[in-house]
Amino acid sequence: MLPDIPAVAEFVPGYEATAWQGVGVPRRTPVDIIDKLNKEINAGLADPAIQARIADWGYTVFATSPAEFAKFIVEYTEKWAKVIQAANIKAE
């Protein structure tokens, strides 16, 4: 999106940070409802017009299954927990 501006990783070796959005539901939501939501949301995200709009915003579509999304959240949480602990970050 900004070709003349160097990436942070060019100055900080190993730097990586991402942002994402997802859809969650309350605990104990019936599986059939979760599956229906997943199917419909992923169908929308597969639409070329929606993909183009998301790309215009500088994002990439990340459509996945509920199980894969749950795994992603666990891994993402573990990754940033390590960063927080290593930097000794405390909530105020």
Side-chain angles (χ1 to χ4, degrees):
M1 299 265 333
L2 302 169
D4 298 329
I5 297 176
V8 174
E10 293 177 46
F11 297 97
V12 182
Y15 178 86
E16 177 191 337
T18 57
W20 54 271
Q21 279 94 55
V23 176
V25 296
R27 193 179 302 253
R28 292 187 272 292
T29 297
V31 173
D32 60 325
I33 293 174
I34 294 170
D35 290 342
K36 175 74 171 169
L37 285 168
N38 182 253
K39 177 183 172 192
E40 297 301 327
I41 290 167
N42 284 349
L45 292 172
D47 181 289
I50 291 174
Q51 288 185 352
R53 182 63 183 224
I54 291 170
D56 286 345
W57 294 333
Y59 296 106
T60 303
V61 173
F62 174 59
T64 188
S65 71
E68 290 168 335
F69 187 51
K71 181 181 176 204
F72 169 79
I73 291 171
V74 167
E75 291 170 353
Y76 194 84
T77 301
E78 290 172 353
K79 171 186 171 178
W80 287 104
K82 290 176 186 175
V83 171
I84 290 166
Q85 291 170 352
N88 199 29
I89 297 171
K90 305 286 183 198
E92 293 183 16

XYZ file of all heavy atoms in Angstrom:
713
model
N 0.818 -1.200 0.000
C 0.000 0.000 0.000
C 0.866 1.271 0.000
O 0.466 2.248 -0.561
C -0.929 0.014 1.209
C -1.906 -1.135 1.278
S -3.570 -0.910 0.630
C -3.950 0.786 0.748
N 2.022 1.225 0.647
C 2.902 2.398 0.730
C 4.306 2.002 0.257
O 5.213 1.809 1.069
C 2.933 2.923 2.165
C 1.584 3.314 2.765
C 1.707 3.569 4.258
C 1.014 4.533 2.057
N 4.502 1.882 -1.036
C 5.753 1.325 -1.560
C 7.012 2.127 -1.232
O 8.108 1.572 -1.215
C 5.515 1.280 -3.068
C 4.439 2.274 -3.327
C 3.583 2.283 -2.086
N 6.896 3.420 -0.977
C 8.072 4.240 -0.697
C 8.453 4.281 0.776
O 9.448 4.894 1.151
C 7.850 5.675 -1.197
C 7.654 5.720 -2.710
O 8.245 4.863 -3.403
O 6.907 6.585 -3.186
N 7.656 3.629 1.608
C 7.935 3.600 3.042
C 8.461 2.216 3.403
O 7.804 1.209 3.156
C 6.669 3.928 3.860
C 6.222 5.355 3.523
C 6.943 3.766 5.352
C 4.948 5.777 4.187
N 9.668 2.148 3.972
C 10.230 0.836 4.320
C 9.421 0.147 5.416
O 8.832 0.796 6.284
C 11.639 1.158 4.830
C 11.812 2.622 4.737
C 10.547 3.248 4.294
N 9.409 -1.156 5.376
C 8.721 -1.945 6.400
C 9.522 -1.921 7.696
O 10.746 -1.800 7.679
C 8.562 -3.388 5.918
N 8.831 -2.037 8.813
C 9.497 -2.065 10.119
C 10.520 -3.199 10.153
O 11.608 -3.044 10.710
C 8.470 -2.212 11.270
C 9.172 -2.385 12.604
C 7.538 -1.019 11.304
N 10.200 -4.332 9.544
C 11.104 -5.485 9.555
C 12.454 -5.177 8.903
O 13.434 -5.862 9.157
C 10.446 -6.675 8.864
N 12.514 -4.133 8.077
C 13.780 -3.744 7.476
C 14.701 -3.079 8.505
O 15.907 -3.008 8.312
C 13.541 -2.805 6.299
C 12.834 -3.490 5.134
C 12.530 -2.548 3.992
O 13.436 -1.769 3.595
O 11.391 -2.581 3.491
N 14.124 -2.587 9.596
C 14.897 -1.917 10.646
C 15.010 -2.744 11.916
O 15.946 -2.580 12.678
C 14.255 -0.566 11.003
C 14.243 0.396 9.860
C 13.126 0.535 9.070
C 15.369 1.138 9.571
C 13.115 1.419 8.000
C 15.367 2.030 8.503
C 14.243 2.169 7.709
N 14.033 -3.606 12.138
C 14.001 -4.441 13.343
C 13.969 -5.901 12.894
O 12.904 -6.416 12.545
C 12.771 -4.116 14.228
C 12.787 -4.957 15.488
C 12.705 -2.639 14.553
N 15.118 -6.570 12.875
C 15.159 -7.964 12.414
C 14.194 -8.850 13.202
O 14.101 -8.753 14.423
C 16.612 -8.377 12.671
C 17.367 -7.092 12.707
C 16.420 -6.069 13.278
N 13.438 -9.660 12.485
C 12.508 -10.581 13.121
C 11.176 -9.969 13.496
O 10.293 -10.645 14.016
N 11.000 -8.669 13.229
C 9.754 -8.002 13.593
C 8.581 -8.610 12.844
O 8.660 -8.863 11.643
C 9.833 -6.509 13.283
C 8.549 -5.774 13.586
C 8.305 -5.295 14.859
C 7.580 -5.581 12.614
C 7.130 -4.622 15.164
C 6.404 -4.917 12.897
C 6.186 -4.438 14.166
O 5.016 -3.796 14.458
N 7.529 -8.836 13.555
C 6.294 -9.329 12.947
C 5.129 -8.920 13.830
O 5.147 -9.131 15.040
C 6.314 -10.858 12.831
C 5.028 -11.419 12.287
C 4.932 -12.933 12.407
O 5.980 -13.588 12.507
O 3.806 -13.433 12.421
N 4.162 -8.297 13.235
C 2.922 -7.976 13.948
C 1.802 -7.980 12.928
O 1.981 -7.556 11.789
C 3.014 -6.625 14.636
N 0.678 -8.477 13.329
C -0.464 -8.527 12.441
C -1.706 -8.076 13.200
O -1.735 -8.064 14.425
C -0.712 -9.959 11.915
O -0.874 -10.826 13.039
C 0.422 -10.455 11.058
N -2.690 -7.703 12.445
C -4.003 -7.398 13.015
C -5.011 -8.261 12.277
O -4.806 -8.624 11.117
C -4.325 -5.916 12.829
N -6.049 -8.618 12.941
C -7.057 -9.456 12.301
C -8.417 -9.183 12.937
O -8.504 -8.619 14.021
C -6.702 -10.941 12.411
C -6.455 -11.410 13.811
C -5.257 -11.402 14.488
C -7.419 -11.909 14.751
N -5.413 -11.877 15.756
C -6.740 -12.194 15.957
C -8.787 -12.143 14.685
C -7.379 -12.706 17.078
C -9.417 -12.655 15.812
C -8.719 -12.930 16.985
N -9.430 -9.549 12.222
C -10.783 -9.507 12.735
C -11.397 -10.885 12.554
O -11.067 -11.591 11.610
C -11.651 -8.482 11.982
C -11.455 -7.061 12.451
C -10.429 -6.336 11.621
O -10.546 -6.274 10.428
N -9.416 -5.782 12.259
N -12.275 -11.230 13.449
C -12.958 -12.511 13.357
C -14.333 -12.399 13.997
O -14.658 -11.388 14.610
N -15.088 -13.427 13.832
C -16.426 -13.471 14.412
C -16.436 -14.546 15.487
O -16.028 -15.680 15.237
C -17.495 -13.783 13.335
C -18.868 -13.918 13.957
C -17.486 -12.696 12.266
N -16.880 -14.179 16.662
C -16.994 -15.133 17.761
C -18.439 -15.233 18.210
O -19.259 -14.370 17.896
N -18.717 -16.293 18.895
C -20.066 -16.505 19.437
C -19.937 -16.879 20.914
O -18.871 -17.296 21.361
C -20.822 -17.617 18.671
C -21.052 -17.224 17.219
C -20.089 -18.936 18.746
N -21.010 -16.737 21.666
C -20.947 -17.112 23.080
C -20.639 -18.605 23.259
O -20.988 -19.443 22.415
C -22.352 -16.807 23.599
C -22.913 -15.811 22.644
C -22.311 -16.153 21.308
N -19.986 -18.898 24.348
C -19.706 -20.285 24.713
C -21.028 -21.071 24.721
O -22.058 -20.536 25.059
C -19.071 -20.314 26.098
C -18.438 -21.632 26.480
C -17.814 -21.540 27.860
N -16.816 -20.480 27.929
C -15.498 -20.687 27.976
N -15.032 -21.909 27.988
N -14.667 -19.690 28.023
N -20.958 -22.302 24.347
C -22.090 -23.232 24.303
C -23.118 -22.897 23.203
O -24.247 -23.351 23.260
C -22.771 -23.354 25.667
C -21.880 -24.053 26.698
C -22.576 -24.334 28.004
N -22.512 -23.259 28.980
C -21.427 -22.832 29.621
N -20.272 -23.390 29.371
N -21.488 -21.872 30.503
N -22.709 -22.101 22.218
C -23.569 -21.902 21.053
C -23.653 -23.245 20.327
O -22.628 -23.900 20.129
C -22.989 -20.827 20.113
O -22.950 -19.591 20.820
C -23.831 -20.678 18.854
N -24.839 -23.674 19.933
C -24.964 -24.972 19.253
C -24.099 -25.050 17.991
O -23.967 -24.071 17.249
C -26.452 -25.040 18.899
C -27.111 -24.156 19.910
C -26.134 -23.043 20.165
N -23.509 -26.210 17.786
C -22.600 -26.429 16.660
C -23.281 -26.152 15.330
O -22.654 -25.594 14.419
C -22.026 -27.872 16.695
C -21.213 -28.170 15.448
C -21.171 -28.059 17.936
N -24.556 -26.491 15.197
C -25.219 -26.248 13.916
C -25.309 -24.752 13.606
O -25.200 -24.351 12.447
C -26.594 -26.916 13.863
C -27.559 -26.438 14.932
O -27.115 -26.143 16.058
O -28.772 -26.372 14.647
N -25.451 -23.922 14.606
C -25.476 -22.472 14.397
C -24.080 -21.983 14.029
O -23.914 -21.167 13.112
C -26.020 -21.748 15.646
C -27.504 -22.097 15.817
C -25.806 -20.237 15.546
C -28.132 -21.564 17.076
N -23.065 -22.482 14.712
C -21.679 -22.112 14.392
C -21.352 -22.501 12.958
O -20.786 -21.708 12.201
C -20.692 -22.771 15.378
C -20.895 -22.196 16.782
C -19.249 -22.600 14.901
C -20.138 -22.929 17.875
N -21.720 -23.711 12.572
C -21.439 -24.175 11.214
C -22.162 -23.335 10.167
O -21.602 -23.014 9.111
C -21.802 -25.655 11.061
C -20.857 -26.567 11.819
O -19.740 -26.121 12.189
O -21.235 -27.729 12.060
N -23.407 -22.958 10.442
C -24.185 -22.125 9.511
C -23.541 -20.744 9.372
O -23.366 -20.242 8.258
C -25.626 -22.003 10.013
C -26.496 -21.071 9.217
C -26.894 -21.660 7.894
C -27.945 -20.771 7.240
N -28.192 -21.120 5.875
N -23.175 -20.130 10.496
C -22.502 -18.831 10.441
C -21.202 -18.925 9.654
O -20.921 -18.078 8.801
C -22.216 -18.322 11.857
C -23.394 -17.779 12.639
C -23.016 -17.589 14.106
C -23.876 -16.475 12.033
N -20.416 -19.950 9.932
C -19.146 -20.127 9.239
C -19.356 -20.277 7.738
O -18.655 -19.658 6.937
C -18.395 -21.324 9.823
C -17.057 -21.531 9.168
O -16.877 -22.469 8.398
N -16.103 -20.664 9.460
N -20.319 -21.075 7.370
C -20.603 -21.307 5.951
C -20.994 -20.004 5.255
O -20.473 -19.684 4.183
C -21.724 -22.335 5.801
C -22.139 -22.585 4.377
C -23.299 -23.551 4.299
C -23.827 -23.634 2.878
N -25.102 -24.319 2.797
N -21.880 -19.240 5.864
C -22.370 -18.011 5.238
C -21.304 -16.917 5.219
O -21.162 -16.194 4.227
C -23.634 -17.521 5.952
C -24.805 -18.492 5.859
C -25.233 -18.814 4.433
O -25.138 -17.937 3.537
O -25.675 -19.956 4.192
N -20.559 -16.785 6.290
C -19.495 -15.771 6.330
C -18.420 -16.110 5.297
O -17.976 -15.242 4.539
C -18.900 -15.655 7.742
C -19.928 -15.027 8.686
C -17.597 -14.848 7.733
C -19.584 -15.141 10.153
N -18.012 -17.373 5.242
C -16.993 -17.774 4.264
C -17.496 -17.615 2.834
O -16.721 -17.268 1.939
C -16.511 -19.188 4.531
C -15.559 -19.258 5.712
O -15.100 -18.245 6.215
N -15.265 -20.459 6.159
N -18.790 -17.842 2.608
C -19.359 -17.634 1.273
C -19.260 -16.156 0.898
O -18.900 -15.815 -0.241
C -20.812 -18.108 1.226
N -19.562 -15.281 1.839
C -19.426 -13.850 1.581
C -17.986 -13.467 1.300
O -17.693 -12.702 0.373
N -17.068 -14.017 2.081
C -15.649 -13.703 1.895
C -15.088 -14.269 0.593
O -14.053 -13.808 0.118
C -14.832 -14.214 3.089
C -15.089 -13.482 4.404
C -14.371 -14.196 5.542
C -14.680 -12.026 4.319
N -15.770 -15.243 -0.002
C -15.348 -15.821 -1.283
C -15.812 -14.968 -2.468
O -15.324 -15.148 -3.590
C -15.869 -17.249 -1.420
N -16.722 -14.047 -2.218
C -17.263 -13.192 -3.277
C -16.151 -12.261 -3.785
O -15.535 -11.548 -2.994
C -18.428 -12.383 -2.722
C -19.057 -11.495 -3.772
O -18.407 -10.501 -4.171
O -20.202 -11.774 -4.178
N -15.900 -12.263 -5.109
C -14.826 -11.423 -5.652
C -14.981 -9.934 -5.329
O -13.990 -9.246 -5.098
C -14.897 -11.670 -7.159
C -15.530 -13.015 -7.289
C -16.506 -13.120 -6.140
N -16.208 -9.432 -5.308
C -16.421 -8.015 -4.994
C -16.029 -7.715 -3.552
O -15.413 -6.680 -3.263
C -17.883 -7.634 -5.237
N -16.361 -8.616 -2.644
C -15.990 -8.424 -1.235
C -14.477 -8.560 -1.078
O -13.843 -7.778 -0.366
C -16.770 -9.393 -0.331
C -18.245 -8.998 -0.327
C -16.195 -9.402 1.086
C -19.165 -9.942 0.411
N -13.892 -9.543 -1.739
C -12.440 -9.697 -1.672
C -11.727 -8.457 -2.197
O -10.738 -8.011 -1.618
C -11.994 -10.935 -2.456
C -12.353 -12.222 -1.772
C -11.796 -13.446 -2.488
O -11.253 -13.356 -3.583
N -11.937 -14.593 -1.856
N -12.239 -7.883 -3.291
C -11.624 -6.680 -3.864
C -11.728 -5.513 -2.879
O -10.767 -4.759 -2.702
C -12.288 -6.327 -5.190
N -12.866 -5.371 -2.240
C -13.050 -4.280 -1.273
C -12.092 -4.443 -0.085
O -11.467 -3.480 0.364
C -14.505 -4.260 -0.796
C -14.843 -3.185 0.159
C -14.668 -1.809 -0.491
N -14.945 -0.797 0.491
C -15.653 0.277 0.279
N -16.133 0.512 -0.921
N -15.868 1.133 1.234
N -11.989 -5.661 0.397
C -11.078 -5.935 1.515
C -9.631 -5.665 1.091
O -8.856 -5.081 1.851
C -11.278 -7.377 2.030
C -12.651 -7.483 2.723
C -10.162 -7.804 2.966
C -13.079 -8.894 3.072
N -9.273 -6.045 -0.124
C -7.923 -5.777 -0.641
C -7.679 -4.271 -0.759
O -6.575 -3.790 -0.479
C -7.720 -6.474 -1.986
N -8.711 -3.515 -1.161
C -8.580 -2.056 -1.242
C -8.221 -1.450 0.112
O -7.563 -0.416 0.184
C -9.884 -1.415 -1.736
C -10.126 -1.632 -3.220
O -9.185 -2.026 -3.943
O -11.277 -1.411 -3.663
N -8.673 -2.070 1.178
C -8.382 -1.586 2.530
C -6.992 -2.036 2.997
O -6.547 -1.677 4.078
C -9.417 -2.105 3.521
C -10.807 -1.581 3.314
C -11.175 -0.391 2.754
C -12.015 -2.232 3.670
N -12.539 -0.276 2.744
C -13.092 -1.394 3.302
C -12.309 -3.455 4.268
C -14.410 -1.725 3.512
C -13.636 -3.788 4.478
C -14.670 -2.933 4.109
N -6.324 -2.862 2.172
C -4.986 -3.328 2.516
C -4.970 -4.608 3.323
O -3.955 -4.962 3.913
N -6.085 -5.312 3.345
C -6.182 -6.547 4.119
C -6.212 -7.760 3.201
O -6.431 -7.648 2.000
C -7.453 -6.553 4.983
C -7.468 -5.482 6.030
C -8.280 -4.366 5.894
C -6.671 -5.578 7.165
C -8.293 -3.370 6.852
C -6.679 -4.594 8.130
C -7.503 -3.485 7.972
O -7.501 -2.507 8.918
N -6.033 -8.925 3.783
C -6.115 -10.199 3.090
C -7.221 -11.015 3.736
O -7.331 -11.042 4.961
C -4.779 -10.977 3.225
O -3.736 -10.160 2.708
C -4.825 -12.281 2.472
N -8.014 -11.676 2.919
C -9.093 -12.519 3.450
C -8.496 -13.748 4.118
O -7.610 -14.401 3.566
C -10.067 -12.934 2.327
C -11.079 -13.951 2.841
C -10.779 -11.709 1.776
N -8.985 -14.049 5.297
C -8.547 -15.220 6.068
C -9.815 -15.977 6.467
O -10.352 -15.806 7.544
C -7.764 -14.741 7.293
C -7.370 -15.822 8.262
C -6.587 -16.891 7.862
C -7.768 -15.751 9.582
C -6.212 -17.872 8.771
C -7.399 -16.730 10.499
C -6.621 -17.784 10.091
N -10.330 -16.766 5.529
C -11.528 -17.565 5.779
C -11.089 -18.965 6.182
O -10.228 -19.559 5.543
C -12.399 -17.617 4.533
N -11.674 -19.469 7.250
C -11.224 -20.741 7.787
C -12.374 -21.461 8.472
O -13.494 -20.956 8.525
C -10.043 -20.489 8.751
O -9.482 -21.725 9.143
C -10.460 -19.698 9.960
N -12.093 -22.612 9.028
C -13.108 -23.373 9.767
C -13.109 -22.920 11.226
O -12.134 -22.324 11.698
C -12.797 -24.871 9.701
O -11.649 -25.156 10.491
N -14.176 -23.215 11.960
C -14.181 -22.880 13.387
C -13.010 -23.508 14.148
O -12.395 -22.850 14.993
C -15.521 -23.422 13.880
C -16.405 -23.363 12.672
C -15.488 -23.716 11.523
N -12.672 -24.739 13.837
C -11.566 -25.407 14.529
C -10.234 -24.738 14.202
O -9.399 -24.525 15.093
C -11.511 -26.886 14.157
N -10.022 -24.390 12.944
C -8.781 -23.724 12.555
C -8.688 -22.331 13.182
O -7.616 -21.894 13.588
C -8.679 -23.624 11.033
C -8.441 -24.965 10.369
C -8.640 -24.918 8.859
O -9.391 -24.042 8.366
O -8.048 -25.754 8.167
N -9.822 -21.621 13.262
C -9.834 -20.296 13.876
C -9.531 -20.392 15.374
O -8.763 -19.591 15.916
C -11.170 -19.608 13.629
C -11.222 -18.176 14.077
C -10.245 -17.265 13.689
C -12.252 -17.731 14.873
C -10.298 -15.939 14.102
C -12.315 -16.413 15.292
C -11.331 -15.505 14.897
N -10.093 -21.393 16.031
C -9.818 -21.603 17.458
C -8.329 -21.868 17.673
O -7.711 -21.317 18.593
C -10.654 -22.756 18.005
N -7.737 -22.685 16.807
C -6.299 -22.974 16.900
C -5.480 -21.702 16.683
O -4.518 -21.435 17.402
C -5.919 -24.036 15.866
C -4.460 -24.408 15.898
C -4.134 -25.457 14.841
C -2.639 -25.712 14.855
N -2.134 -26.229 13.621
N -5.880 -20.903 15.701
C -5.205 -19.636 15.426
C -5.239 -18.731 16.655
O -4.220 -18.133 17.023
C -5.876 -18.945 14.233
C -5.425 -17.527 14.033
C -4.219 -17.246 13.423
C -6.216 -16.466 14.469
C -3.798 -15.930 13.238
C -5.804 -15.163 14.290
C -4.594 -14.888 13.673
N -6.381 -18.619 17.305
C -6.510 -17.755 18.485
C -5.600 -18.240 19.606
O -4.921 -17.439 20.268
C -7.975 -17.669 18.945
C -8.787 -16.886 17.908
C -8.079 -17.010 20.323
C -10.281 -16.910 18.149
N -5.553 -19.545 19.829
C -4.675 -20.091 20.865
C -3.218 -19.758 20.554
O -2.477 -19.270 21.414
C -4.879 -21.621 21.013
C -3.777 -22.244 21.845
C -6.243 -21.917 21.608
N -2.785 -19.994 19.316
C -1.398 -19.731 18.931
C -1.066 -18.239 19.022
O 0.006 -17.858 19.491
C -1.134 -20.252 17.519
C -1.142 -21.773 17.445
C -1.117 -22.306 16.022
O -1.226 -21.504 15.060
O -1.009 -23.531 15.867
N -1.981 -17.393 18.594
C -1.789 -15.949 18.633
C -1.674 -15.467 20.085
O -0.802 -14.663 20.414
C -2.976 -15.281 17.931
C -2.786 -13.835 17.583
C -2.129 -13.448 16.421
C -3.291 -12.826 18.401
C -1.974 -12.116 16.075
C -3.139 -11.497 18.066
C -2.488 -11.145 16.904
O -2.333 -9.823 16.572
N -2.529 -15.997 20.935
C -2.502 -15.631 22.352
C -1.184 -16.071 22.995
O -0.564 -15.308 23.751
C -3.697 -16.262 23.085
O -4.909 -15.789 22.472
C -3.711 -15.906 24.556
N -0.755 -17.284 22.713
C 0.509 -17.778 23.265
C 1.684 -16.931 22.787
O 2.580 -16.601 23.571
C 0.715 -19.243 22.891
C -0.229 -20.192 23.605
C -0.157 -21.628 23.097
O 0.537 -21.889 22.078
O -0.806 -22.486 23.711
N 1.687 -16.580 21.519
C 2.767 -15.767 20.946
C 2.876 -14.432 21.682
O 3.953 -14.046 22.137
C 2.502 -15.515 19.467
C 3.435 -14.510 18.835
C 3.004 -14.224 17.411
C 3.782 -13.083 16.830
N 3.406 -12.812 15.440
N 1.768 -13.718 21.821
C 1.807 -12.401 22.438
C 1.972 -12.477 23.950
O 2.525 -11.545 24.555
C 0.605 -11.568 22.013
C 0.808 -11.156 20.578
C 0.203 -11.674 19.479
C 1.751 -10.196 20.100
N 0.703 -11.084 18.336
C 1.649 -10.177 18.693
C 2.668 -9.355 20.711
C 2.435 -9.336 17.902
C 3.442 -8.521 19.914
C 3.318 -8.520 18.530
N 1.572 -13.571 24.559
C 1.829 -13.748 26.000
C 3.335 -13.798 26.246
O 3.833 -13.214 27.219
C 1.152 -15.014 26.514
N 4.068 -14.468 25.352
C 5.528 -14.538 25.483
C 6.154 -13.145 25.342
O 7.081 -12.795 26.077
C 6.116 -15.485 24.438
C 5.796 -16.940 24.686
C 6.325 -17.808 23.562
C 5.882 -19.246 23.728
N 6.279 -20.079 22.584
N 5.661 -12.370 24.405
C 6.169 -11.011 24.203
C 5.902 -10.172 25.457
O 6.784 -9.461 25.946
C 5.538 -10.356 22.958
C 5.896 -8.876 22.875
C 5.943 -11.101 21.694
N 4.693 -10.271 25.970
C 4.315 -9.506 27.165
C 5.183 -9.886 28.354
O 5.674 -9.038 29.093
C 2.818 -9.703 27.460
C 1.994 -8.991 26.369
C 2.446 -9.217 28.853
C 0.533 -9.383 26.346
N 5.394 -11.186 28.532
C 6.229 -11.655 29.641
C 7.685 -11.234 29.453
O 8.324 -10.777 30.402
C 6.111 -13.170 29.785
C 4.747 -13.604 30.285
C 4.529 -15.113 30.196
O 5.338 -15.841 29.620
N 3.419 -15.565 30.743
N 8.211 -11.372 28.239
C 9.607 -11.022 27.987
C 9.855 -9.526 28.194
O 10.919 -9.118 28.667
C 10.010 -11.418 26.566
N 8.859 -8.713 27.867
C 8.997 -7.267 28.017
C 8.552 -6.787 29.395
O 8.610 -5.604 29.681
C 8.187 -6.549 26.945
N 8.101 -7.732 30.225
C 7.632 -7.419 31.580
C 6.544 -6.341 31.560
O 6.565 -5.395 32.343
C 8.798 -7.015 32.486
C 8.420 -7.132 33.946
O 7.596 -7.946 34.327
N 9.026 -6.294 34.777
N 5.600 -6.485 30.632
C 4.508 -5.524 30.513
C 3.464 -5.832 31.573
O 3.065 -6.971 31.767
C 3.887 -5.594 29.098
C 4.935 -5.193 28.056
C 2.633 -4.735 29.008
C 4.526 -5.427 26.631
N 3.043 -4.791 32.258
C 2.044 -4.928 33.332
C 0.854 -4.029 33.021
O 1.014 -2.905 32.551
C 2.629 -4.513 34.690
C 3.885 -5.239 35.080
C 3.596 -6.649 35.498
C 4.903 -7.308 35.959
N 4.833 -8.717 35.985
N -0.335 -4.516 33.323
C -1.545 -3.693 33.173
C -1.568 -2.638 34.268
O -1.123 -2.862 35.389
C -2.787 -4.582 33.290
N -2.050 -1.479 33.932
C -2.152 -0.402 34.929
C -3.591 -0.174 35.307
O -4.474 -0.317 34.557
C -1.559 0.889 34.361
C -0.062 0.768 34.161
C 0.552 2.076 33.671
O -0.101 3.135 33.775
O 1.680 2.037 33.208
